């Protein structure tokens, strides 16, 4: 890839028009892209490729004080302690009848296994649940057609329970788990049940829909159970498996008392109706084995080290992304059910029947490019698969399994996304390629370049490249939803009268300071363009100061910010009508200025104040004021 | 789809920030910009009679939590003093300024002149028409008692 590639891309004259969104106009779709190792979720307008917002999810964000303010810190609590980062891969829109409903978007945390739920009326992370007895949470959080469950699985097998094991005995000590998390009620996500499976690497998942509703499919690789140099050792077998899980049957078995309760704590964090994050620790999960519930899990042999598993809009076709295979295997749900009924088993592994490959296979797509990974659908009978090694997207006809078109992408494409492309009713029109390598596509920015997303028009017979745009972190996977489904439900302000934060000061009359030992609570208000109080004295070195800021504005898009010199955490950004708290421990005596960080009016530069910090043990009384006499705290 | 946002600042420059005693759109000689579409204000007429003491008391409560952040009765603060505002302004103007300050800035020369003088825009406190009416009654009572 030593040469520039723009010459090889035929760009039609009307392409610019196809992606141009005039000033003041809105994009047609909201696109949600995972931030990968940034731990966040970014929102782009489609087709313009304009960044609209970065939603903090698993990583602290000093810009918005997420994970720094007292009200949001509990969101990042886990059984490993406070975790300020994760690796977020797969956004997944909530569904009703297998179609995105615009309520929520879920996203997984890979490294410290978690699933988050983001509210789409506020674009704020509202809930995070930890996954116990799991590791490398990559096959997540794919959702069932009515949000009954989002799933999680072990990409890295671990001992269950996770105990000290000698590396020489590791391979036999490892188990996999497939986890089903209840996800149909806001703020009530919990582990419904976990299925013990062999210690392979479970990589990706998708739920059945339509004819296959009630099933979920998980790819696996490393059926060799290698624990070292997987690059070689996990690529020996010609076929690995797609695990097909009958989750409705699993529900019935669990309801009937199958399985056992396994101890183990996990965190459930959510924003309560006061806009304050609450952490609760839940104890124990229901663990079920294949033997506990015959007919619950089957293995579909799939070449070779499959990565993605994608189910077409009808639910009949289950497409494996045979990462190291020369074909794209397409399984038939109908044939799978028949194979189960006929007991067409090749073998049984740990109580899981392995179905006969030919008995479940619908067909193989020949010449699909090198390194096929992921497939999405346009709702018109076509499938689109990414080929990582040959850097292309291949369009093929599902029924005939023949390739219809191919287009190069720049470079090394992983996931792709069609709006609604993994649902029962794809919107089609656009496809976004999410590329891993950028090289020469943008102005160089030193050794690292932003990952490139590429917008492709799929409305015609031939795919057409429309736009490249840079993204944040690693946009691993994405989802998109028509903008009009969300616009009218957007929160613009929080009603000050409905503010139930225990530390709110809902008018300047309520602004005050209180001392409790060495803890000082400052109840401060903000409005264009002053703080109340804006003069404070009686704070001492060694005090633990909590600034509780209430934004009294009731006007859209007028947040105020707060920062004091030497603050060790972040600024505080407070939405209209909301209260947010930041902790500050002054380190030395002196005069500390504080100010509003978010440009709010023509007199924004005047929005400032002073705090007098006296030495530890001094007897300066606590006093505060705005534009007049100081009020001394008795 | 189109957003309905109007570029207020550009409009202010187009209209000129000086008060000209009326809210008519400028003529084309003064400005090459086409006149803005008519701005629809929430209140077109208010019936005021003798002071309704109960309503004024209700208004006082709202005033003290929502308005004193920026206004005093007898002296300039963040915004102008309001002790005599009931004498200086029409009741409709007062209610529209409370309910839709951004629309007043688009269409009302007096509101534009106030922004030029005080630099901070009147903030929209998202009050209901009934709440604004109660505040108006309180302001009328304060003026009559003065």
């Amino acid at each position: 890839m030593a040469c520039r590639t723009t010459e090889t891309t035929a760009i039609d004259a009307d392409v610019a028009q196809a992606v141009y969104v005039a000033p003041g106009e809105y994009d047609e779709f909201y696109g949600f892209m995972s931030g990968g190792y940034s731990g966040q979720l970014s929102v782009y307008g489609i087709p313009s490729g304009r960044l609209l917002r970065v939603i903090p999810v698993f990583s602290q964000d000093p810009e918005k004080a997420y994970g720094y303010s007292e009200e949001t810190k509990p969101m990042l609590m886990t059984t490993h302690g406070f975790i300020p980062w994760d690796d977020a891969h797969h956004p997944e829109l909530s569904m009703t009848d297998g179609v995105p409903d615009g309520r929520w978007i879920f996203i997984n945390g890979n490294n410290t296994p978690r699933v988050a739920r983001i509210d789409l009326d506020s674009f704020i992370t509202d809930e995070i649940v930890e996954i116990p007895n799991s590791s490398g949470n990559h096959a997540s959080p794919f959702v069932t057609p009515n949000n009954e469950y989002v799933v999680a699985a072990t990409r890295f097998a671990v001992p269950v329970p996770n105990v000290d094991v000698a590396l020489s005995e590791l391979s036999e000590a490892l188990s996999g788990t497939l986890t089903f998390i209840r996800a149909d009620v806001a703020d009530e996500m919990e582990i419904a049940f976990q299925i013990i499976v062999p210690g392979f690497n479970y990589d990706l998942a998708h739920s059945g829909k339509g004819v296959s509703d009630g099933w979920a499919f998980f790819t696996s690789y490393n059926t060799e159970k290698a624990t070292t140099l997987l690059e070689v050792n996990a690529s020996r077998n010609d076929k690995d498996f797609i695990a097909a899980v009958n989750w409705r049957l699993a529900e019935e078995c669990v309801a009937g008392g199958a399985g056992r309760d396994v101890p183990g704590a996990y965190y459930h964090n959510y924003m309560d109706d006061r806009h304050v994050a609450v952490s609760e620790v839940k104890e124990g999960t229901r663990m079920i084995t294949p033997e506990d519930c015959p007919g619950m899990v089957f293995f579909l042999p799939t070449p070779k080290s499959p990565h993605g598993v994608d189910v077409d809009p009808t639910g009949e076709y289950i497409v494996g992304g045979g990462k190291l295979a020369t074909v794209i295997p397409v399984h038939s749900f109908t044939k799978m059910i028949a194979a189960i009924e006929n007991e067409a088993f090749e073998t049984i592994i740990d109580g899981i029947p392995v179905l006969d490959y030919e008995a479940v296979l619908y067909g193989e797509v020949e010449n699909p490019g090198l390194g096929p990974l992921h497939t999405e659908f346009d709702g018109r009978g076509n499938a689109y698969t990414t080929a990582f090694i040959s850097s292309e997207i291949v369009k093929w006809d599902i029924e005939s399994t023949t390739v219809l078109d191919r287009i190069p992408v720049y470079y090394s494409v992983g996931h792709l996304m069609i709006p609604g492309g993994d649902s029962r009713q794809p919107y089609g029109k656009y496809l976004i390629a999410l590329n891993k390598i950028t090289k020469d596509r943008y102005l160089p920015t030193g050794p690292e370049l932003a990952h490139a997303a590429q917008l492709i028009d799929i409305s015609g017979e031939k795919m057409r490249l429309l736009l490249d745009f840079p993204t944040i972190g690693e946009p691993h996977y994405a989802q998109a939803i028509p903008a009009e489904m969300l616009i009218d439900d957007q929160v613009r302000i929080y009603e000050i009268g409905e503010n139930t934060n225990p530390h709110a000061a809902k008018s300047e009359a309520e602004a005050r300071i209180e001392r409790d030992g060495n803890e000082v609570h400052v109840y401060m208000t903000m409005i264009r363009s002053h703080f109340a109080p804006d003069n404070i004295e009686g704070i001492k070195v060694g005090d633990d100061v909590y600034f509780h800021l209430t934004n009294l504005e009731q006007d859209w898009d007028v947040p105020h910010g707060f920062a004091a010199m030497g603050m060790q955490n972040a600024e505080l950004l407070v939405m209209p009508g909301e209260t947010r708290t930041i902790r500050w421990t002054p380190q030395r005596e002196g005069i500390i200025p504080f100010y509003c960080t978010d440009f709010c009016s023509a007199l924004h530069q005047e929005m400032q104040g002073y705090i007098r910090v006296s030495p530890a043990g001094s007897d300066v009384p606590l006093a505060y004021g705005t534009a007049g006499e100081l009020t001394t705290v008795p | 789809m189109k957003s309905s946002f109007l570029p207020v600042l550009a409009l202010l420059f187009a209209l000129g920030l000086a008060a000209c005693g009326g809210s008519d759109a400028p003529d084309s000689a003064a400005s090459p910009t086409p006149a803005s579409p008519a701005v629809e204000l929430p209140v077109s007429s208010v019936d005021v009679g003798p002071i309704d003491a109960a309503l004024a008391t209700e208004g006082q409560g709202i005033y003290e939590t929502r308005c004193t952040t920026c206004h005093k009765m007898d002296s300039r603060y963040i915004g102008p003093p309001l002790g005599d505002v009931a004498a200086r302004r029409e009741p409709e103007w007062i209610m529209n300024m409370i309910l839709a300050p951004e629309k007043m800035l688009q269409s009302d020369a007096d509101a534009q002149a106030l922004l030029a003088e005080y630099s901070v825009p009147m903030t929209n406190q998202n009050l209901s028409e009934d709440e604004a009416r109660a505040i108006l009654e309180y302001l009328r009572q304060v003026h009559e008692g003065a």
Side-chain angles (χ1 to χ4, degrees):
Chain A
M1 302 200 181
C3 54
R4 297 268 292 129
T5 48
T6 44
E7 296 76 18
T8 65
T9 314
I11 300 285
D12 303 333
D14 65 339
V15 158
Q17 215 163 352
V19 300
Y20 182 70
V21 177
E25 299 275 324
Y26 288 164
D27 273 288
E28 191 179 351
F29 289 93
Y30 285 97
F32 298 92
M33 300 202 188
S34 67
Y37 44 73
S38 85
Q40 317 295 45
L41 179 67
S42 341
V43 188
Y44 289 83
I46 307 298
S48 73
R50 296 182 295 184
L51 176 67
L52 303 175
R53 181 133 189 98
V54 177
I55 304 171
V57 183
F58 295 114
S59 297
Q60 285 178 297
D61 182 355
E63 176 197 336
K64 306 178 185 75
Y66 179 85
Y68 292 99
S69 70
E70 295 301 308
E71 286 84 358
T72 57
K73 276 159 64 176
M75 292 301 286
L76 300 181
M77 283 305 298
T78 76
T79 53
H80 300 266
F82 178 85
I83 301 282
W85 169 87
D86 214 312
D87 186 10
H89 272 208
H90 307 117
E92 184 80 352
L93 288 158
S94 60
M95 302 248 193
T96 300
D97 293 333
V99 177
D101 58 22
R103 284 193 292 166
W104 312 316
I105 191 161
F106 300 96
I107 192 165
N108 63 315
N110 271 314
N111 188 55
T112 305
R114 286 174 285 174
V115 170
R117 184 182 55 80
I118 292 112
D119 262 337
L120 290 182
D121 61 359
S122 60
F123 284 54
I124 286 171
T125 303
D126 196 50
E127 188 172 11
I128 296 179
V129 64
E130 190 180 7
I131 323 294
N133 311 308
S134 190
S135 152
N137 182 39
H138 195 257
S140 177
F142 302 96
V143 67
T144 56
N146 288 291
N147 308 326
E148 296 96 334
Y149 301 105
V150 293
V151 301
T154 40
R155 183 169 139 219
F156 311 125
V158 283
V160 177
N162 202 341
V163 291
D164 176 355
V165 173
L167 289 178
S168 56
E169 297 160 21
L170 185 58
S171 186
E172 290 317 300
L174 298 177
S175 291
T177 57
L178 308 180
T179 303
F180 286 74
I181 304 146
R182 188 184 154 211
D184 57 344
V185 180
D187 297 342
E188 291 182 19
M189 291 175 78
E190 62 179 356
I191 310 299
F193 54 89
Q194 299 189 287
I195 302 172
I196 285 275
V197 284
F200 310 150
N201 291 42
Y202 296 87
D203 205 8
L204 276 153
H206 261 110
S207 303
K209 51 173 95 78
V211 292
S212 55
D213 188 8
W215 290 75
F217 304 93
F218 297 81
T219 51
S220 71
Y221 66 107
N222 191 24
T223 49
E224 299 84 349
K225 293 192 180 179
T227 57
T228 182
L229 195 63
L230 270 65
E231 187 175 16
V232 174
N233 294 329
S235 307
R236 297 187 192 282
N237 294 346
D238 268 344
K239 292 193 177 66
D240 299 278
F241 303 119
I242 288 172
V245 177
N246 184 339
W247 57 258
R248 280 202 210 282
L249 180 63
E251 266 180 351
E252 284 170 28
C253 290
V254 168
R260 61 196 171 98
D261 286 326
V262 172
Y266 65 95
Y267 267 78
H268 173 239
N269 311 320
Y270 62 96
M271 281 281 172
D272 69 9
D273 51 20
R274 303 169 307 163
H275 300 209
V276 176
V278 176
S279 280
E280 58 178 8
V281 181
K282 298 193 174 230
E283 175 52 48
T285 56
R286 192 69 177 173
M287 191 82 75
I288 182 169
T289 66
E291 288 95 341
D292 293 331
C293 186
M296 176 176 66
V297 189
F298 298 91
F299 279 144
L300 283 59
T302 305
K304 173 180 184 176
S305 297
H307 187 53
V309 56
D310 299 282
V311 181
D312 88 303
T314 68
E316 167 65 13
Y317 301 104
I318 301 136
V319 180
K323 189 168 66 188
L324 306 178
T326 55
V327 296
I328 300 172
V330 182
H331 298 300
S332 153
F333 179 76
T334 307
K335 290 181 78 173
M336 181 190 95
I337 295 298
I340 292 167
E341 282 169 2
N342 301 331
E343 297 194 355
F345 303 156
E346 288 181 4
T347 180
I348 293 179
I349 300 175
D350 296 353
I352 301 171
V354 178
L355 301 174
D356 180 74
Y357 180 62
E358 296 299 334
V360 296
L361 184 76
Y362 171 75
E364 292 176 338
V365 181
E366 302 283 347
N367 194 19
L370 301 175
L373 295 183
H374 299 283
T375 301
E376 293 229 329
F377 307 91
D378 65 7
R380 304 193 308 271
N382 302 308
Y384 300 76
T385 301
T386 55
F388 179 86
I389 299 169
S390 51
S391 259
E392 60 184 330
I393 288 173
V394 178
K395 174 182 178 181
W396 49 279
D397 177 79
I398 302 172
E399 200 178 342
S400 65
T401 63
T402 53
V403 171
L404 303 172
D405 187 27
R406 52 210 322 148
I407 189 171
V409 285
Y410 309 101
Y411 301 97
S412 304
V413 60
H415 276 268
L416 78 171
M417 178 270 283
I418 293 170
D422 66 341
S423 77
R424 244 177 10 87
Q425 294 173 355
Y427 302 100
K429 190 166 184 179
Y430 298 117
L431 180 155
I432 291 182
L434 298 155
N435 304 327
K436 304 299 187 196
I437 307 289
T438 304
K439 289 209 188 296
D440 53 16
R441 296 296 289 179
Y442 302 139
L443 279 177
T445 51
E448 193 184 17
L449 289 86
H451 288 222
Q454 294 192 284
L455 182 73
I456 292 165
D457 172 5
I458 56 166
S459 58
E461 300 265 304
K462 299 282 293 176
M463 290 180 279
R464 227 168 41 124
L465 178 60
L466 300 179
L467 183 72
D468 277 20
F469 59 98
T471 58
I472 291 173
E474 182 205 3
H476 195 86
Y477 179 50
Q479 295 260 278
I481 193 165
E484 67 250 17
M485 283 184 68
L486 302 187
I487 290 172
D488 293 339
D489 296 328
Q490 294 306 298
V491 172
R492 296 184 175 203
I493 61 161
Y494 298 105
E495 293 275 352
I496 190 89
E498 293 169 15
N499 180 328
T500 50
N501 184 301
H503 302 292
K506 291 194 252 182
S507 69
E508 278 193 17
E510 293 177 30
R512 67 196 184 277
I513 302 189
E514 292 167 2
R515 178 180 282 284
D516 177 11
N518 71 338
E519 226 176 71
V520 178
H521 292 269
V522 179
Y523 299 88
M524 193 182 278
T525 64
M526 339 150 84
I527 197 162
R528 280 165 285 181
S529 283
H530 64 282
F531 295 99
D534 64 4
N535 277 208
I536 298 168
E537 69 179 14
I539 305 279
K540 299 168 205 164
V541 173
D543 278 348
D544 216 356
V545 183
Y546 291 87
F547 292 104
H548 307 288
L549 275 294
T550 302
N551 181 347
L552 297 179
E553 303 281 356
Q554 292 288 273
D555 197 352
W556 192 20
D557 199 25
V558 191
H560 289 289
F562 173 86
M565 185 167 76
M567 269 173 77
Q568 300 96 340
N569 29 30
E571 68 142 350
L572 200 59
L573 196 66
V574 191
M575 296 304 121
E578 201 169 38
T579 301
R580 282 289 174 262
T581 302
I582 197 97
R583 183 180 166 194
W584 177 61
T585 50
Q587 301 297 299
R588 55 180 187 246
E589 67 178 84
I591 296 296
I592 298 288
F594 64 89
Y595 72 106
C596 172
T597 49
D598 189 330
F599 206 102
C600 52
S601 82
L603 297 177
H604 163 78
Q605 293 298 83
E606 283 69 18
M607 192 164 172
Q608 64 160 72
Y610 283 112
I611 301 166
R612 173 186 171 191
V613 180
S614 303
S618 64
D619 55 4
V620 180
L622 208 55
Y624 62 91
T626 314
E629 295 287 302
L630 292 183
T631 303
T632 302
V633 179
Chain B
M1 98 164 245
K2 280 195 194 315
S3 82
S4 58
F5 176 74
L6 277 167
V8 173
L9 269 182
L11 217 95
L12 288 182
F13 287 118
L15 295 174
L17 289 173
C20 47
S23 58
D24 296 336
D27 62 39
S28 55
S31 163
T33 314
S36 62
V39 174
E40 201 171 318
L41 294 164
V43 177
S44 53
S45 71
V46 194
D47 289 331
V48 291
I51 300 291
D52 176 340
L55 186 63
T57 302
E58 186 192 330
Q60 182 176 358
I62 304 164
Y63 179 89
E64 281 168 3
T65 56
R66 293 302 188 80
C67 309
T68 52
T69 307
C70 296
H71 293 282
K72 295 183 184 298
M73 285 299 180
D74 50 2
S75 62
R76 176 183 174 127
Y77 190 39
I78 312 300
L82 298 182
D84 62 346
V85 72
R88 289 187 290 110
R89 306 284 183 197
E90 294 297 324
E92 295 81 7
W93 191 98
I94 293 172
M95 284 184 66
N96 283 326
M97 202 65 185
I98 293 169
L99 291 170
E102 57 290 317
K103 287 184 175 174
M104 291 290 277
L105 272 182
Q106 286 170 26
S107 61
D108 186 274
D110 293 336
Q112 291 159 9
L114 283 167
L115 179 61
E117 185 181 349
Y118 287 88
S119 299
V120 180
M122 168 83 178
T123 60
N124 188 332
Q125 288 285 294
N126 206 33
L127 295 168
S128 70
E129 197 164 317
D130 289 346
E131 289 171 316
R133 179 66 188 84
I135 293 170
L136 169 68
E137 202 66 6
Y138 172 60
L139 292 171
R140 292 177 65 227
Q141 184 187 60
V142 168
H143 170 62
E144 293 201 4

